[in-house]
Amino acid sequence: MSAPLTRPDLSAPASATPLVRTVRIEEPMDLLGHVPAGVSGAWLRHGQGLVAVGRAWSVRTTGPDRFAAASAAFRELASRARVDDEVRVRTSGLIALGSFSYAGTSERPSTLLVPRALLGVHDGEAFLTVVGIDEEPELPASWRDLFPSSPVDVPAASPLELEADHTPDEYQALVQQAVGEIRSGAAEKVVLSERTSVRTPEPLSPALLLTRLARAYPSTWVYHLEDVIGASPEMLAQTEDGRVFSRVLAGSRPAADDGELDEADRRAFRADRKERSEHAYAVDSVVERLEDLAAEIEVSAEPFVLRLPGLEHLASDVSARLHEGVTSLDVAARLHPSAAVSGTPRERADEIIARLEPHDRGGYAAPVGWMDASGDGQWAIALRMAHLTGERSAVLQAGGGLVAASDPVSEHAEALAKCRPVLRALRGDAEA
């Protein structure tokens, strides 16, 4: 007999009924031009996605059953929902944005949130969704009343104050310690990360950070909910019409000056035994965990190189047909943490991480995304990210996968390179 789920923390009575209305916006929409100062959540890619304001309903969960408890609460809410959706595209109707914590022992709660209002664009179709709880939602006279123009972008007037948890020598010593455990047979791969605390001269603006990240890194999934914000290149679980897609990134190579590797370096990167080994562990972990949830699993024949400004990754795409009744959050829960952010074997890698990393990972490297009333959705891994910790403070976190052949100096450089997107967004200029 399975243990009961931890009682979730609901923002509305368990019997609450959501009344949802989605209307079409006929005029052309620049979604990135309407991320308001009071944004409560966002999911953006290639100028499309969702921007949220307010909180109509939310659930917070903790513990090892945090995914299942949040999913059950949202499914119960969705079963009572009354939805009037004149648009009927992938992200219209009842939508919950979510951010989960990396570990079941984390003090940071995981959250699913149904916003009061969502401005969305999907395949060129613009729409507004409003939500009421136990009452009819009120449509504004204009969607611009809820989503005015994004704040004016003004670069930071003074330098940021940065402080890493470790000096370069200290972090490289931790990498060497992890590599030593790998070579002794304690694990095959371990993903170690470093945190950097940032103080800003002016109050932080999530709206500005989102628009800067989305314009600079359009091919990533740019996200914000609660205290996490970032631009992830890695899709953990995307489901639609009974199929699941996952993009696995493992193996990275920094490029100078936000550029790209030259062809000779890229060929060497693709052929590098250490990078290929790290990548294979990550792909195998995804395939193995999908086997109970899906059939007809397909994997890229060979890793390809995903190019981002200043950093290139080995990538593989995995797709499969889901078993009946499996939701996107079910898949995300099963895949998390993948070998791309934890290691192999997962339990041993997480034990080593817990010993070597001095702080709870919080929302770092955990699922972040959205889910609709039918269970379909998109869950990226919260990478290239920061925790917003105060009006003028944030904590950046980034790392890399270690195997027996890893070099501490190179791994430290990789962790620093992965902080560059958020540092650039915080500064508001091209320096990083």
Side-chain angles (χ1 to χ4, degrees):
M1 183 175 179
S2 61
L5 296 179
T6 304
R7 185 173 180 178
D9 176 16
L10 296 171
S11 65
S15 60
T17 298
L19 285 71
V20 184
R21 187 171 179 192
T22 299
V23 295
R24 181 175 286 103
I25 297 173
E26 301 290 354
E27 59 194 281
M29 169 68 67
D30 172 20
L31 189 58
L32 298 184
H34 292 278
V35 182
V39 61
S40 62
W43 181 259
L44 301 163
R45 188 170 188 250
H46 289 312
Q48 300 195 118
L50 300 165
V51 176
V53 293
R55 181 188 303 263
W57 174 93
S58 65
V59 57
R60 288 189 170 96
T61 60
T62 56
D65 59 5
R66 61 202 181 282
F67 293 98
S71 180
F74 179 64
R75 288 199 308 269
E76 180 66 22
L77 181 82
S79 71
R80 296 188 301 274
R82 290 159 46 191
V83 180
D84 177 7
D85 182 358
E86 70 177 41
V87 182
R88 296 187 178 277
V89 295
R90 180 155 161 74
T91 47
S92 63
L94 179 63
I95 295 290
L97 297 170
S99 169
F100 287 80
S101 291
Y102 181 88
T105 55
S106 178
E107 294 183 1
R108 174 192 183 266
S110 299
T111 300
L112 279 180
L113 177 145
V114 176
R116 281 282 176 188
L118 274 172
L119 186 65
V121 176
H122 179 76
D123 285 347
E125 187 93 62
F127 56 89
L128 172 70
T129 297
V130 291
V131 180
I133 299 296
D134 294 328
E135 62 181 10
E136 289 288 343
E138 184 176 339
L139 281 171
S142 167
W143 60 268
R144 287 186 174 84
D145 295 341
L146 293 172
F147 295 93
S149 298
S150 303
V152 175
D153 194 343
V154 179
S158 305
L160 304 178
E161 297 177 20
L162 307 178
E163 183 178 359
D165 277 359
H166 303 93
T167 66
D169 286 346
E170 288 170 344
Y171 184 71
Q172 290 165 30
L174 289 175
V175 171
Q176 190 61 59
Q177 187 175 339
V179 170
E181 299 217 24
I182 293 168
R183 290 173 179 169
S184 72
E188 296 170 309
K189 174 185 173 181
V190 174
V191 181
L192 196 65
S193 68
E194 171 71 315
R195 302 188 342 154
T196 301
S197 298
V198 180
R199 291 282 301 173
T200 62
E202 303 294 335
L204 287 166
S205 167
L208 272 182
L209 293 179
L210 285 167
T211 53
R212 288 169 179 170
L213 286 168
R215 294 192 191 282
Y217 304 92
S219 64
T220 66
W221 288 273
V222 173
Y223 58 87
H224 169 50
L225 188 69
E226 303 288 87
D227 61 334
V228 297
I229 193 165
S232 178
E234 189 156 359
M235 176 55 63
L236 180 66
Q238 172 178 298
T239 67
E240 185 173 13
D241 297 331
R243 293 198 63 82
V244 60
F245 164 82
S246 182
R247 172 159 288 175
V248 183
L249 304 185
S252 305
R253 193 65 58 92
D257 301 323
D258 283 343
E260 296 183 352
L261 300 175
D262 61 32
E263 282 306 314
D265 286 341
R266 186 171 294 123
R267 284 195 299 270
F269 174 40
R270 292 185 63 175
D272 187 285
R273 291 180 61 185
K274 177 263 178 185
E275 304 290 359
R276 294 289 292 252
S277 172
E278 179 187 338
H279 188 79
Y281 287 133
V283 173
D284 289 348
S285 77
V286 169
V287 171
E288 180 182 335
R289 294 175 203 173
L290 276 179
E291 287 175 345
D292 292 340
L293 301 180
E296 301 170 9
I297 300 174
E298 300 175 0
V299 183
S300 300
E302 282 286 319
F304 59 92
V305 175
L306 179 67
R307 307 175 190 180
L308 297 172
L311 200 64
E312 302 197 6
H313 301 273
L314 289 184
S316 290
D317 289 340
V318 180
S319 63
R321 177 175 56 80
L322 287 172
H323 296 327
E324 188 71 26
V326 176
T327 70
S328 61
L329 193 51
D330 294 334
V331 179
R334 180 66 63 87
L335 295 182
H336 174 74
S338 75
V341 297
S342 170
T344 305
R346 175 166 59 180
E347 293 76 13
R348 292 181 188 174
D350 277 340
E351 288 172 4
I352 295 170
I353 290 167
R355 281 191 276 109
L356 298 183
E357 290 189 8
H359 298 284
D360 176 3
R361 283 188 167 186
Y364 166 69
V368 59
W370 63 272
M371 184 167 69
D372 66 19
S374 70
D376 274 344
Q378 294 177 306
W379 297 95
I381 301 176
L383 302 172
R384 311 297 188 274
M385 61 84 69
H387 286 101
L388 305 178
T389 55
E391 184 182 40
R392 301 186 186 206
S393 63
V395 176
L396 283 58
Q397 192 157 357
L402 310 177
V403 293
S406 292
D407 170 65
V409 175
S410 297
E411 297 298 338
H412 186 223
E414 180 180 326
L416 295 177
K418 289 175 178 176
C419 287
R420 193 175 299 147
V422 177
L423 278 176
R424 166 182 280 178
L426 286 167
R427 289 185 171 120
D429 60 22
E431 297 178 14

